[in-house]
């Protein structure tokens, strides 16, 4: 992971540390599976500040409903429904919903067990991400 990416992730982790003691919002998450693909659908209420895990794999992100501010630790942008982007491995972002949102991630995976899925798709720390990355190489 390059130095710029690590600096960005550190900023998102700093935000995460600040918001973890605030009242938490329960977001409805649903997983849909077809052969080799998982579609993760999150319904996020308006006025929610959130962070994601570090993505272990490249994936497609789609804002299907609403508008939100997305922050990658270095840059921020406001996106609206219909926004689609490719997320590289190693990315960790924060978001702030401006309206009720539906956010979708599409991942390549053979896993259909929801418990194992989160571990495969995301890491909670840079160290965990690097261990998983090294495990794939070794």
């Amino acid at each position: 992971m390059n130095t710029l990416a690590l600096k960005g992730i550190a900023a998102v982790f700093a935000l995460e540390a600040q918001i973890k003691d605030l009242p938490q919002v329960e977001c409805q998450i649903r997983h849909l599976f077809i052969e080799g693909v998982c579609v993760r659908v999150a319904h996020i209420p308006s006025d929610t500040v959130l962070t994601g895990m570090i993505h272990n794999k490249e994936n497609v992100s789609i804002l299907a409903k609403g508008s939100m501010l997305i922050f990658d630790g270095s840059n921020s942008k406001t996106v609206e429904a219909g926004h689609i982007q490719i997320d590289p491995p190693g990315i960790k972002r924060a978001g702030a919903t401006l309206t009720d949102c539906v956010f979708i991630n599409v991942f390549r995976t053979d896993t259909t067990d929801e418990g194992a899925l989160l571990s495969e798709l995301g890491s909670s720390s840079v160290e965990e991400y690097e261990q998983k990355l090294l495990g794939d190489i070794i």
Side-chain angles (χ1 to χ4, degrees):
M1 187 174 294
N2 67 42
T3 307
L4 184 58
L6 283 174
K7 182 178 178 185
I9 285 177
V12 176
F13 273 117
L15 173 63
E16 189 172 74
Q18 290 179 1
I19 65 174
K20 75 177 189 176
D21 293 329
L22 297 174
Q24 300 297 296
V25 174
E26 191 70 32
C27 296
Q28 178 189 352
I29 306 286
R30 188 169 63 140
H31 296 99
L32 305 166
F33 298 96
I34 60 172
E35 186 176 338
V37 177
C38 171
V39 178
R40 183 174 166 83
V41 182
H43 295 263
I44 310 165
S46 180
D47 300 319
T48 299
V49 177
L50 65 151
T51 60
M53 295 177 71
I54 299 172
H55 290 214
N56 292 338
K57 297 181 171 189
E58 181 177 62
N59 69 96
V60 176
S61 291
I62 304 162
L63 183 58
K65 174 185 172 186
S67 61
M68 68 188 310
L69 177 71
I70 297 176
F71 175 63
D72 68 6
S74 300
N75 301 298
S76 62
K77 61 184 173 185
T78 300
V79 297
E80 297 190 6
H83 176 78
I84 301 172
Q85 65 189 35
I86 304 292
D87 292 333
I91 193 77
K92 179 176 177 69
R93 292 198 177 101
T97 57
L98 305 173
T99 64
D100 289 347
C101 290
V102 175
F103 197 85
I104 300 170
N105 292 101
V106 182
F107 295 92
R108 161 73 185 96
T109 182
D110 291 320
T111 302
T112 57
D113 177 272
E114 290 189 27
L117 182 69
L118 291 182
S119 178
E120 179 186 335
L121 301 181
S123 295
S124 58
S125 69
V126 172
E127 296 78 19
E128 180 184 342
Y129 173 75
E130 289 174 341
Q131 276 300 105
K132 289 177 181 178
L133 187 63
L134 288 173
D136 287 344
I137 294 171
I138 298 174

